[in-house]
Amino acid sequence: MTVRRDFQEPSRCRPELVIGREDLFGAAREQLGRGGSVLLHGPAGIGKSTVLRALAAEYGRTARTVLRCSATESESHLPFLALADLLGLVLHEVSDRLPAAQRTALESALTGRGESSLQRDGLALRLAVLSVLRTLAAEGPVLIVADDLQWLDSASAELLGFAARRLGDFPVQLLCAVRTEGQEYDRHLRATPPDTLALRLGPLTRAQVSALVDQSGYALPRSTVRDIHRTSGGNPLFALELGRALAESATPPRPGEPLPVPTSLRALVLSRLEMLSAEARDTLLVASAGARPTLALLHAAGRENAEAETAQAAALGLLATEPEGPAVRFAHPLISAALYAEAPAQSRRAAHAALSTAAFDPIERARHLALATTGTDPDVAARLGEAAALARDRGAPSVAASLGLLAARHTPVGMVPSPDVRRLQAAEDALTAGEMDLARDIARDVLTRVTASGERVRAWMVVIEAAGQALGEVDAVFPQALADAGDDPRLLAQVHYQLAWRGLMVEGDFAEARQEAEHAAGLAARAGDRRTELLALSFQAQSETLMGHPDAPATIKRALREPQDPQVACHHNGAGAARFRWLIMSDQLPEARATATGLLREARRRGVVESEVHFVRFVAETELRSGHCGRALDLAREALRLARDCGIAEGASAMLTSLAEASGGDTGRALELAREAVGHAEEDGDPVYLSRALAALGHAQLVARDAPGAVRSLRRVRQLEEGLGVTDPARGRWHGDLAEALVLVGEPGEAQELIDVTREQALRLGRESVLAVVDRAEALVRATRGELEAAAAQLTSVQDRLAKLGYGLEEARAAFLLARLRPGRPGPTSYDEAERLFRRCRALPWLKQVEAALAAGPAETAGPVPAPAEADALEGLASMERQVAALVMEGKTNREIAGRLFISVKTVEATLTRVYRKLGIRSRVDIVRLAAGRHAK
């Protein structure tokens, strides 16, 4: 039988290329994998067909026969059409195996010849469809793929449902999609098997819409993508159409205005809008112009019959009136946008004019006044400036930026502040809101006009800040900013503060960065610019902390002195952040948690999005250090979602989430995120975060039991940090992982050298947790030398010290190593203790390692000590080679040797190769013979 494969899909339908549907794919795969059927449902444009094609492409390869149909509304009145699509090309292969009555009825229905109908040949047709599917299934699995189930002609739907309910254990699966507006999918389940899993496709998040728009090649600012997400309601089809229209438009919408709706989408709603009366349509236009429309607002705006007119719109499905309040809500944001886009400009201005007096909030009144006014107007500009300041104080910087741009548009030339000064303030508000693209574009535009040095330097600062960690991309800006600053100490302080960041992020030189920050702080103090002085001191303090510089505590105290600047106090580069870093590196975890939590609360209150991203990560890091792996993972994922949503600190957030996944989640995901973080850092040319990202990668590789990979990654970290001048081992805390990985690959000498260097640094700076972790690694080195009792004593001490410091996960890791060293013994050194501690931390990847160790059974507890005769035979071998050879002589397998010596099986194999070469033999059998010969003597 020919397998139907004409449904093959293009690469864009591969599951890994479908954005935002990971959980749904997981549920569908699980259902299809156990032989069940799946019904996808959701509103128009939500992506059902895309997901259906991706799943069909994936699971069609496992089916012997694939049957497809895709109905349309225009054809839904034609009986048996969908059935013809499904069975028309395979009927000839099975028809001779059908009873005559069934074959005649089915052929008549599918070909249209004769007068077959469900009324006339109902039973024969039903049994014929069932027989065809059973016959096909007898020769191999059958997959039925049916899209737009709602348009199936009633006859085909009835026949398919009859067969589906009676297939029993026959390997026939249905993969269907149906359009639904709510949860009304029950009636469509009648056409599918009884155990069908119904999966609803919901709207995409802002980050997912951003990824979708990026994947489609539309180069749009993030602020525009935010508007696309809001207008589309997260519907991928609507988002793509809006993105296409905006990418092709030469004139973007004015600030505060809805997005223009392309013709392709207007048709979805305009037919219903045309059924409204003119009065009702005017009322809906006022509602579409309002931010939070209510019946009271519509009345205040002069819409006297708002109740009746909104009821008329609701009856047409245009409005969904809230049952528990007076709010008037459009059934979909696109309806509001299409209504506004279709209205004449004069009607829009009239609606905004009515709302400028009816709105209850002063910010809303000012926005509507601006949109009702054409040309410049000093009174309107002043009111908008006041509204922007109010929005800023309320912690709504994005709103402040939008209002600032409107104020600039209505500001006459010669007015103070000038239009460009208002634009610069809007750019700074956009930075605070995390809208980096918008901020950069405003600043670049201002630089084409302004000549005053203060305004130019202010604009350059926005351009630099908007670059984030990719400072190398704006390297040419610094000489221009210095030239514009001239000899003004206030302006020079701002430029040198940014040069400090450049020294760190581009040059990778902590000493240069510290020097520039110190210079900037001095210039700012001389100019009386307390804000820049505090930022420079905070940067200097963080640099000194990471360098292990002795002046770090004193610099932090200087940065915390009064008077403080409220904006700097909750800034992610302010003194509070520097203090947090010092606390967490000094093992003061409760104080670090309290500091990070306070900073996060204040950043959220002020709406400082970039700082919020960093502070969520700070809290997550503290929880991770404390061994609260589940809580840390939740916070890290929140930080990553927020970072991706805003396009801020994505690499840093991916790096921390990788660490959290490796500790409390999924190691595969940890590896993926760490590699993503490495990619971000390499793309940005950022050696500081590259070392952090590689440390996360090395840790994930160690947890995933890829010791050689961990060694490669962490050796790069060591090299990078030596080049950066980082001498504080508490900065990245990768030293213990590298030492442990080195032992596992058979390099205990290098591991001991690293331990000695790290111990010296940690003793100088008083880093107690680092000392404990490197002692834990040293115990492994001792175990490889056969010093098992000394190693066990060291691990017992390490576990106790880490418990007192509050490092729960590190304590559990020490207990696990102790259990591996002395398996089977009762008491605190047993695997039960390690399991208890890992469970308390919710450290799922480590719990799996405990389970694997228990499943492998107890290993030998004694170290490999060669007998005298064997020692003679092994003379000339290195320490590790002697131990491996001695265990071979005892008859141990390579896996047993690896477990005994805490190294990998690959390391055992590599060591044996060297042994063979040195002893002039070819195999492990020769080692045993050599030992036997020595004993015979």
Side-chain angles (χ1 to χ4, degrees):
M1 181 180 295
T2 303
V3 180
R4 299 283 295 115
R5 290 288 166 83
D6 60 334
F7 71 98
Q8 290 292 336
E9 304 297 336
S11 60
R12 63 182 176 86
C13 292
R14 295 205 312 267
E16 66 270 21
L17 299 181
V18 180
I19 292 170
R21 304 300 185 193
E22 294 80 7
D23 292 343
L24 184 139
F25 268 109
R29 284 188 179 110
E30 185 178 349
Q31 173 75 354
L32 293 167
R34 58 173 173 252
S37 297
V38 171
L39 175 68
L40 305 170
H41 66 101
I46 202 67
K48 303 179 298 298
S49 297
T50 301
V51 173
L52 182 83
R53 288 195 298 268
L55 287 169
E58 183 174 337
Y59 281 87
R61 292 190 291 269
T62 65
R64 186 178 187 278
T65 305
V66 178
L67 309 173
R68 288 191 81 229
C69 73
S70 183
T72 64
E73 184 177 11
S74 62
E75 299 169 342
S76 60
H77 67 285
L78 299 173
F80 306 120
L81 186 63
L83 192 68
D85 285 344
L86 286 172
L87 304 182
L89 296 179
V90 295
L91 181 61
H92 70 281
E93 299 179 13
V94 296
S95 61
D96 59 343
R97 284 175 271 180
L98 299 179
Q102 294 180 21
R103 180 171 62 252
T104 301
L106 187 57
E107 288 177 346
S108 176
L110 297 186
T111 61
R113 294 189 293 271
E115 298 179 356
S116 182
S117 70
L118 281 178
Q119 287 72 31
R120 177 172 176 170
D121 301 311
L123 182 59
L125 273 173
R126 288 174 173 86
L127 293 175
V129 173
L130 180 60
S131 296
V132 169
L133 293 178
R134 284 177 171 173
T135 301
L136 292 172
E139 300 187 12
V142 176
L143 178 66
I144 298 174
V145 182
D147 199 2
D148 283 318
L149 210 59
Q150 75 277 4
W151 303 133
L152 244 66
D153 62 274
S154 58
S156 296
E158 166 60 24
L159 291 169
L160 187 60
F162 176 87
R165 292 189 294 274
R166 289 164 175 80
L167 285 168
D169 294 332
F170 281 86
V172 179
Q173 296 174 268
L174 271 71
L175 178 58
C176 306
V178 62
R179 180 187 301 180
T180 55
E181 292 303 323
Q183 295 290 330
E184 315 142 353
Y185 58 87
D186 293 358
R187 63 188 179 91
H188 298 290
L189 287 172
R190 290 198 295 270
T192 61
D195 64 343
T196 298
L197 174 67
L199 295 171
R200 179 170 178 78
L201 277 75
L204 300 181
T205 66
R206 189 196 300 180
Q208 290 163 351
V209 166
S210 178
L212 181 68
V213 171
D214 289 346
Q215 188 185 84
S216 301
Y218 303 139
L220 297 172
R222 289 188 180 273
S223 55
T224 302
V225 173
R226 177 199 63 196
D227 293 338
I228 289 174
H229 175 257
R230 184 185 64 248
T231 303
S232 69
N235 185 297
L237 172 65
F238 299 170
L240 286 174
E241 287 298 300
L242 288 166
R244 180 186 57 77
L246 285 165
E248 295 173 355
S249 174
T251 56
R254 293 169 61 189
E257 284 188 342
L259 296 181
V261 179
T263 306
S264 59
L265 296 182
R266 292 185 195 182
L268 294 174
V269 294
L270 290 184
S271 58
R272 283 183 284 174
L273 287 172
E274 290 170 356
M275 299 171 67
L276 288 171
S277 66
E279 293 79 10
R281 189 160 178 160
D282 288 342
T283 296
L284 284 197
L285 177 60
V286 175
S288 72
R292 294 176 294 276
T294 63
L295 289 172
L297 178 67
L298 294 176
H299 280 299
R303 309 310 302 171
E304 296 178 357
N305 299 316
E307 285 89 348
E309 288 157 358
T310 55
Q312 181 188 355
L316 292 171
L318 296 167
L319 288 182
T321 309
E322 298 290 349
E324 298 179 358
V328 176
R329 183 170 58 85
F330 284 89
H332 192 281
L334 191 66
I335 297 173
S336 172
L339 175 66
Y340 190 93
E342 281 295 299
Q346 184 177 355
S347 299
R348 294 187 206 173
R349 287 196 296 272
H352 286 297
L355 288 167
S356 69
T357 57
F360 306 108
D361 186 88
I363 292 176
E364 276 300 294
R365 289 199 299 270
R367 184 179 74 88
H368 288 301
L369 180 61
L371 294 173
T373 306
T374 58
T376 60
D377 187 313
D379 293 335
V380 173
R383 285 184 59 181
L384 284 165
E386 293 168 1
L390 180 58
R392 201 175 301 119
D393 290 342
R394 287 183 182 179
S398 180
V399 175
S402 177
L403 291 168
L405 290 174
L406 285 172
R409 185 186 292 270
H410 291 285
T411 300
V413 176
M415 183 178 176
V416 178
S418 69
D420 281 324
V421 168
R422 291 193 187 278
R423 290 187 182 96
L424 284 174
Q425 180 61 64
E428 291 166 354
D429 287 330
L431 278 180
T432 302
E435 299 177 13
M436 303 303 182
D437 293 341
L438 176 61
R440 183 195 60 243
D441 292 345
I442 295 171
R444 291 282 190 187
D445 175 59
V446 169
L447 283 164
T448 63
R449 289 184 301 274
V450 298
T451 57
S453 57
E455 293 170 13
R456 289 189 63 79
V457 170
R458 187 176 176 185
W460 287 128
M461 295 303 100
V462 171
V463 172
I464 293 169
E465 289 277 3
Q469 290 175 265
L471 283 179
E473 296 178 2
V474 293
D475 216 21
V477 165
F478 291 98
Q480 298 176 68
L482 281 170
D484 284 330
D487 57 1
D488 186 325
R490 183 180 63 85
L491 300 179
L492 284 170
Q494 296 175 38
V495 180
H496 280 281
Y497 170 67
Q498 295 296 345
L499 282 169
W501 281 104
R502 181 190 176 279
L504 183 61
M505 310 300 284
V506 178
E507 299 298 331
D509 190 330
F510 272 93
E512 179 186 336
R514 175 185 175 275
Q515 184 177 354
E516 286 285 2
E518 188 174 27
H519 183 45
L523 287 167
R526 201 170 80 201
D529 180 359
R530 183 62 173 160
R531 182 178 186 276
T532 303
E533 181 188 7
L534 289 170
L535 284 171
L537 285 170
S538 300
F539 181 90
Q540 181 183 341
Q542 292 206 53
S543 299
E544 290 172 348
T545 298
L546 297 175
M547 294 170 66
H549 196 286
D551 290 346
T555 308
I556 292 174
K557 287 181 181 178
R558 286 177 61 200
L560 289 169
R561 284 178 193 157
E562 297 295 337
Q564 286 291 313
D565 182 295
Q567 289 184 331
V568 177
C570 71
H571 195 279
H572 57 280
N573 290 323
R579 182 170 183 270
F580 165 80
R581 183 57 56 200
W582 172 261
L583 288 169
I584 202 166
M585 291 175 66
S586 302
D587 300 324
Q588 300 178 56
L589 297 182
E591 294 88 344
R593 182 186 292 107
T595 298
T597 303
L599 290 168
L600 176 60
R601 189 184 307 114
E602 183 64 15
R604 282 175 169 165
R605 187 183 73 80
R606 291 179 172 273
V608 187
V609 176
E610 184 171 8
S611 293
E612 181 184 354
V613 173
H614 287 279
F615 294 152
V616 173
R617 204 171 65 246
F618 282 8
V619 178
E621 183 178 353
T622 309
E623 298 296 350
L624 191 58
R625 298 287 175 219
S626 302
H628 305 148
C629 299
R631 200 179 312 161
L633 184 56
D634 290 342
L635 286 164
R637 287 172 174 171
E638 178 188 346
L640 184 58
R641 282 194 299 270
L642 187 59
R644 286 179 170 163
D645 199 24
C646 304
I648 295 171
E650 293 182 69
S653 299
M655 176 271 297
L656 184 72
T657 310
S658 169
L659 291 171
E661 290 282 0
S663 300
D666 177 76
T667 52
R669 181 69 176 144
L671 290 165
E672 178 184 336
L673 286 168
R675 292 188 177 104
E676 178 186 331
V678 169
H680 278 294
E682 289 178 335
E683 183 180 345
D684 293 341
D686 181 353
V688 175
Y689 263 104
L690 178 57
S691 70
R692 298 290 303 275
L694 285 168
L697 177 59
H699 179 73
Q701 289 167 323
L702 183 64
V703 177
R705 309 176 90 170
D706 176 14
V711 168
R712 286 192 298 272
S713 298
L714 296 174
R715 277 175 173 163
R716 282 188 68 192
V717 176
R718 187 179 189 185
Q719 182 181 10
L720 279 167
E721 291 207 349
E722 286 174 353
L724 289 167
V726 176
T727 60
D728 192 334
R731 184 233 179 199
R733 297 178 183 271
W734 48 267
H735 311 72
D737 284 347
L738 176 54
E740 184 174 335
L742 285 167
V743 172
L744 293 174
V745 299
E747 298 289 350
E750 183 181 345
Q752 187 63 58
E753 180 270 333
L754 171 64
I755 289 166
D756 293 340
V757 171
T758 307
R759 180 180 286 127
E760 181 182 350
Q761 294 171 336
L763 282 169
R764 177 174 59 85
L765 296 167
R767 304 298 191 230
E768 293 297 329
S769 61
V770 175
L771 287 168
V773 168
V774 295
D775 282 353
R776 185 182 67 201
E778 188 174 53
L780 276 181
V781 176
R782 288 184 168 183
T784 63
R785 295 199 297 256
E787 302 170 14
L788 299 183
E789 290 304 321
Q794 191 167 15
L795 285 172
T796 302
S797 169
V798 164
Q799 184 180 343
D800 182 60
R801 288 152 57 197
L802 288 169
K804 289 177 180 177
L805 289 168
Y807 285 78
L809 182 58
E810 301 296 348
E811 173 196 356
R813 287 179 64 179
F816 183 37
L817 286 178
L818 189 56
R820 289 174 59 196
L821 196 65
R822 306 171 68 178
R825 298 193 182 186
T829 61
S830 68
Y831 281 117
D832 289 344
E833 172 71 359
E835 183 180 13
R836 181 186 69 81
L837 293 173
F838 281 135
R839 200 170 296 282
R840 183 184 69 182
C841 296
R842 286 184 58 191
L844 303 183
W846 291 101
L847 279 169
K848 290 178 182 177
Q849 290 206 29
V850 173
E851 292 169 3
L854 288 169
E860 298 285 345
T861 59
V865 182
E870 295 167 359
D872 293 339
L874 305 181
E875 187 177 354
L877 298 180
S879 172
M880 177 63 70
E881 295 165 352
R882 290 167 62 86
Q883 293 177 75
V884 169
L887 288 169
V888 169
M889 292 176 178
E890 294 177 15
K892 303 298 182 186
T893 66
N894 286 2
R895 185 169 297 279
E896 289 171 334
I897 295 170
R900 183 80 160 279
L901 298 180
F902 300 96
I903 58 178
S904 67
V905 174
K906 287 185 178 180
T907 302
V908 173
E909 293 168 350
T911 305
L912 279 175
T913 300
R914 293 196 300 271
V915 170
Y916 299 155
R917 185 175 64 252
K918 289 183 178 182
L919 297 181
I921 58 180
R922 295 184 177 180
S923 70
R924 57 190 297 127
V925 175
D926 292 334
I927 295 179
V928 175
R929 288 173 178 166
L930 182 63
R934 293 286 184 177
H935 282 305
K937 293 179 182 179

